[in-house]
Amino acid sequence: MKTVETIAELKNKISQYRQEGRSIGFVPTMGYLHEGHLKLISSAKSENDRVIVSIFVNPLQFGPNEDFDAYPRNLDRDRELAAEQGADLIFAPSVKEMYRGEPFATVNVHKRTNALCGKSREGHFDGVATVLTKLFHIVAPDTSYFGMKDAQQVAIVEGLIEDLYFSTELRAIETVREEDGLAKSSRNVNLTENERKEAPSIYRALSLGKQLIDEGEKDPDEVVKAVTAYLQTHTSASIDYISLLSYPSLEPVDRINGKLILAAAVKFTKARLIDNITLNHQ
Amino acid sequence: MKTVETIAELKNKISQYRQEGRSIGFVPTMGYLHEGHLKLISSAKSENDRVIVSIFVNPLQFGPNEDFDAYPRNLDRDRELAAEQGADLIFAPSVKEMYRGEPFATVNVHKRTNALCGKSREGHFDGVATVLTKLFHIVAPDTSYFGMKDAQQVAIVEGLIEDLYFSTELRAIETVREEDGLAKSSRNVNLTENERKEAPSIYRALSLGKQLIDEGEKDPDEVVKAVTAYLQTHTSASIDYISLLSYPSLEPVDRINGKLILAAAVKFTKARLIDNITLNHQ
C-alpha cells in the first residue's frame, strides 16, 4: 500500500488505475481510524478494484470554538489498519496542499443543516461540502463510502451529489456496534467505567422508540418522550437532543410516516456520544 | 445537430461520445448568440471531436433588480448559428431541469469578485460558479471555452477550476471586434446612430492606455487619467469605471508590472458597454 501526500502524485496514480480499467472506491476520513472506518474500507474493497482512503483533518469544517489542533492524529497506525482492510492507496495531504491560502471558492449547503448536530455547528457542513468537492474532483471515484453513524452527514452528501450532479455514487454503511449495542466511536475511550456501562442505553433507548413505532405509535412526540424517559432513567448523561425527523430531508414530522430518523446526542462528563436508527413506516 | 433538454438525455449522449473515445469541447452560453459566441464554438470545434453548446439563462446569476424575464431569447436562431459553426449538440434545459426548487448547495466565490462589474452585481458570480459546477459535472468537458470580453468571468472561472480541482481545461478566446474596433455585443443594437459612431472610441481609449504603457509609463493613475480623458472628449457616454488591475487576481497595483488588465465600462443612453485589454509588462 502506497501513501501519497500531493495531489499531483494522487492524480497520476488515479490516471493509471483508469487506464487499467479499474473501478475506484473512495473512503474520505479525518484519520484516527476505528472499526466504523474499517468497515467502510472493507465494504469499498468488496465492491471496487481499487480503494483510496483519504486522511485529512479538514480545518474548514471546524468552528472557531472547536479544537482543530487537538483533533487526534496517528498516521502510522491508520496506514497499518487501512492496509489490513485492503486499502490500495492512502492520500494524506497537508493543509497547504489542499488549501492554498484563504479559499477562493466554497460550497455552501442550504438545506438539511439546521437540525441534529448541525444546529450547533454553523458552517461545519459547508466545510465538509467544500473539501468533498475537491476530493471528489481529484479522486473521481465510482463509489464513495460514508458511515450511517453520522446520518446527517450522509443526508447532506446525498443532497450535494444529487443537486450538483457529482458523478460519484454514495454508499451509506451501517453503524458498527460493540456487542452490547454501543456504537463504535473514538470518543468511547473518554467514558468513565460507570459511564461505559450506561452508554449502551443510548441504542437501547432508540430501539425502544423503534419498537413503539413498530407496534403502531403514530405520534412523534410520544416516541421522543419515551426515548428521553428511558435515557434519563438509565444514564447519568445529559441529553443534548432526541429528534425524530424525516430522512434524508431532516424536517420535523407531525405524524409517523415514510422514511424517518430517530437520533440522539448525549453528553457524559468527557464524551458527547451520538447514535441513530433509520426507519421506514407507511 | 441534436438539441436535448434533459440532463438524463445529455448524459447518455456524453457517455456515447466517451465510449467512442471522442474529446469534448464545451461552450456554456445564455443564448442569443453573437459573433463572440460563434468564435468560441468554432475554436472548440477546431480543438475537439465533439462540441456541446449549452443555452441556459441562469436565474441564479441575476440580481433582484436585474431583469431575468426580459433577457433576450431566440433558441431557433441560436440552433442555426451554432450548427453553422459545427456544434454537435445543444443542451437547452428548462430552469426546472437545472434547479429543482431552492438550491440545496451553491458555490460561492470569495476572490476576484469585488472589482470591475462584480462590484455592482453582488452574488452574480456565485450564480455563475454554481451553474458552471453543475454543467462541468454533467458535461465533463475536456476543454471549456469563454470569451475574454468578460475578462472578470474568465478570471473567476480560472480560479474556480484551479481551487476546486475541476478536471476541465479553460480556454480564453480573444474578443471579436467590428472593423472599427468596437467589441461585438448583443447590446450594440441599442446604440443610437450617433452613439454607434462614438462607441469605437472605447477600444481606442484602451489602446491609447496600452500605448502609454508600451512607451514606458509606470504609474497606473496616469494611464487611467489618459483613458478617461480620451473617452470624455470623444464620446457622450458616462463612465462607469476605468480600471487598471493585476490579472487574473484583479487587485489594484501601485506600479505597472506583470500581467495586467485595463478595463472600461461606459453607459450610453440605452446600452452599457464593456471592453478590456490585457497586458504583460515586466
Side-chain angles (χ1 to χ4, degrees):
Chain A
M1 194 194 62
K2 210 176 150 63
T3 302
V4 308
E5 292 177 4
T6 68
I7 291 163
E9 206 182 341
L10 178 62
K11 283 190 136 180
N12 274 343
K13 267 320 250 187
I14 292 186
S15 302
Q16 183 199 318
Y17 292 160
R18 288 293 170 202
Q19 272 163 21
E20 295 166 357
R22 314 287 186 193
S23 64
I24 295 175
F26 178 45
V27 184
T29 82
M30 298 216 298
Y32 216 72
L33 305 181
H34 57 68
E35 286 166 80
H37 298 110
L38 302 185
K39 189 166 164 206
L40 300 182
I41 300 172
S42 61
S43 301
K45 188 67 184 179
S46 70
E47 298 176 346
N48 298 272
D49 300 322
R50 293 289 178 268
V51 173
I52 296 172
V53 178
S54 66
I55 293 179
F56 179 61
V57 184
N58 174 31
L60 219 60
Q61 70 193 66
F62 285 77
N65 300 318
E66 296 173 7
D67 203 346
F68 167 74
D69 292 320
Y71 196 88
R73 293 159 169 91
N74 190 340
L75 184 57
D76 288 341
R77 188 168 163 277
D78 288 345
R79 286 161 43 85
E80 251 175 61
L81 292 170
E84 278 169 22
Q85 300 301 318
D88 297 281
L89 191 82
I90 298 279
F91 177 50
S94 65
V95 171
K96 258 199 176 162
E97 182 71 12
M98 289 299 286
Y99 297 103
R100 293 163 287 199
E102 286 297 298
F104 180 85
T106 54
V107 180
N108 294 6
V109 180
H110 307 291
K111 294 179 184 172
R112 304 184 186 179
T113 54
N114 196 23
L116 307 180
C117 298
K119 258 188 186 169
S120 55
R121 302 190 73 182
E122 212 200 310
H124 168 70
F125 287 111
D126 296 341
V128 171
T130 302
V131 80
L132 284 178
T133 295
K134 293 187 183 213
L135 290 168
F136 287 160
H137 287 167
I138 297 164
V139 177
D142 297 286
T143 313
S144 301
Y145 294 77
F146 294 85
M148 271 306 284
K149 173 130 182 299
D150 195 344
Q152 185 170 21
Q153 178 171 272
V154 169
I156 284 168
V157 176
E158 189 180 314
L160 183 73
I161 289 174
E162 271 181 30
D163 189 58
L164 295 183
Y165 302 101
F166 282 94
S167 65
T168 193
E169 203 176 303
L170 169 71
R171 192 83 83 242
I173 302 297
E174 239 180 80
T175 302
V176 181
R177 301 182 180 284
E178 305 286 353
E179 273 188 26
D180 58 16
L182 176 63
K184 300 251 188 190
S185 163
S186 344
R187 295 194 176 90
N188 293 348
V189 297
N190 295 327
L191 296 169
T192 65
E193 204 184 322
N194 193 47
E195 287 173 346
R196 176 64 190 81
K197 282 180 193 151
E198 294 174 359
S201 293
I202 303 169
Y203 185 58
R204 280 188 214 123
L206 295 173
S207 303
L208 168 70
K210 180 182 185 318
Q211 193 190 324
L212 290 177
I213 294 169
D214 287 343
E215 287 169 6
E217 180 58 63
K218 290 291 176 198
D219 184 348
D221 290 344
E222 289 302 319
V223 177
V224 169
K225 255 187 236 169
V227 173
T228 306
Y230 188 96
L231 272 168
Q232 282 170 339
T233 316
H234 293 83
T235 78
S236 57
S238 71
I239 293 173
D240 189 350
Y241 62 75
I242 311 287
S243 297
L244 183 52
L245 303 171
S246 61
Y247 193 85
S249 58
L250 302 184
E251 281 169 11
V253 290
D254 292 335
R255 201 163 178 280
I256 285 162
N257 189 33
K259 277 198 81 179
L260 300 170
I261 184 166
L262 178 59
V266 306
K267 282 180 186 163
F268 287 99
T269 43
K270 286 188 173 171
R272 181 177 173 279
L273 302 186
I274 61 169
D275 200 354
N276 70 80
I277 290 180
T278 49
L279 312 147
N280 199 350
H281 271 264
Q282 299 305 330
Chain B
M1 193 193 63
K2 210 176 150 62
T3 302
V4 308
E5 292 175 3
T6 68
I7 291 163
E9 207 182 339
L10 177 62
K11 283 189 137 180
N12 275 343
K13 266 322 250 188
I14 295 197
S15 303
Q16 184 200 316
Y17 292 160
R18 289 291 170 205
Q19 273 163 22
E20 295 166 358
R22 314 287 186 191
S23 63
I24 295 177
F26 177 45
V27 184
T29 81
M30 299 216 298
Y32 216 73
L33 306 181
H34 56 67
E35 286 165 80
H37 298 109
L38 302 186
K39 189 168 165 202
L40 300 183
I41 299 172
S42 61
S43 301
K45 189 66 184 178
S46 70
E47 299 176 345
N48 298 273
D49 300 323
R50 293 289 178 267
V51 173
I52 296 172
V53 177
S54 66
I55 293 179
F56 179 61
V57 183
N58 174 32
L60 219 60
Q61 70 193 67
F62 285 77
N65 300 318
E66 297 173 6
D67 202 346
F68 167 73
D69 292 321
Y71 196 88
R73 293 158 170 91
N74 190 341
L75 185 57
D76 288 341
R77 188 169 162 277
D78 288 345
R79 286 162 42 86
E80 251 175 61
L81 292 170
E84 279 169 21
Q85 300 300 319
D88 297 281
L89 191 83
I90 297 279
F91 177 51
S94 66
V95 171
K96 257 197 175 163
E97 181 72 11
M98 290 298 286
Y99 299 103
R100 292 162 289 198
E102 286 297 299
F104 180 85
T106 54
V107 180
N108 295 3
V109 180
H110 307 290
K111 294 180 185 171
R112 306 185 184 178
T113 54
N114 196 23
L116 306 181
C117 298
K119 259 188 186 168
S120 55
R121 302 190 74 184
E122 214 199 310
H124 167 70
F125 287 111
D126 295 341
V128 171
T130 302
V131 80
L132 283 178
T133 295
K134 293 188 183 214
L135 289 169
F136 287 159
H137 288 167
I138 297 164
V139 177
D142 296 287
T143 313
S144 300
Y145 294 79
F146 294 85
M148 271 305 284
K149 171 125 184 299
D150 195 343
Q152 184 170 22
Q153 177 172 272
V154 169
I156 284 168
V157 176
E158 188 180 314
L160 183 73
I161 289 174
E162 270 182 30
D163 189 57
L164 296 182
Y165 302 101
F166 281 94
S167 65
T168 193
E169 202 176 303
L170 170 71
R171 191 83 82 242
I173 302 295
E174 237 181 82
T175 303
V176 181
R177 301 182 179 284
E178 304 286 352
E179 274 189 22
D180 58 17
L182 176 62
K184 300 251 187 189
S185 163
S186 342
R187 295 194 178 89
N188 293 347
V189 297
N190 296 326
L191 297 169
T192 65
E193 205 185 318
N194 192 48
E195 287 172 346
R196 178 60 191 80
K197 283 180 194 151
E198 294 174 0
S201 293
I202 303 169
Y203 185 56
R204 278 187 216 124
L206 295 173
S207 302
L208 168 70
K210 180 180 183 317
Q211 194 191 326
L212 290 177
I213 294 169
D214 287 343
E215 288 169 4
E217 180 60 62
K218 288 292 174 197
D219 183 348
D221 290 344
E222 290 303 316
V223 176
V224 169
K225 254 188 234 167
V227 173
T228 306
Y230 188 97
L231 273 168
Q232 283 170 340
T233 315
H234 293 81
T235 77
S236 57
S238 70
I239 293 173
D240 189 349
Y241 63 74
I242 311 287
S243 297
L244 183 52
L245 303 170
S246 62
Y247 193 84
S249 58
L250 302 184
E251 282 169 11
V253 290
D254 292 335
R255 200 160 180 280
I256 285 162
N257 190 31
K259 276 197 81 179
L260 300 170
I261 185 168
L262 178 58
V266 306
K267 282 179 185 161
F268 287 99
T269 45
K270 286 187 174 170
R272 180 177 175 279
L273 303 186
I274 60 169
D275 201 354
N276 70 78
I277 290 179
T278 49
L279 312 148
N280 198 348
H281 271 264
Q282 299 305 332

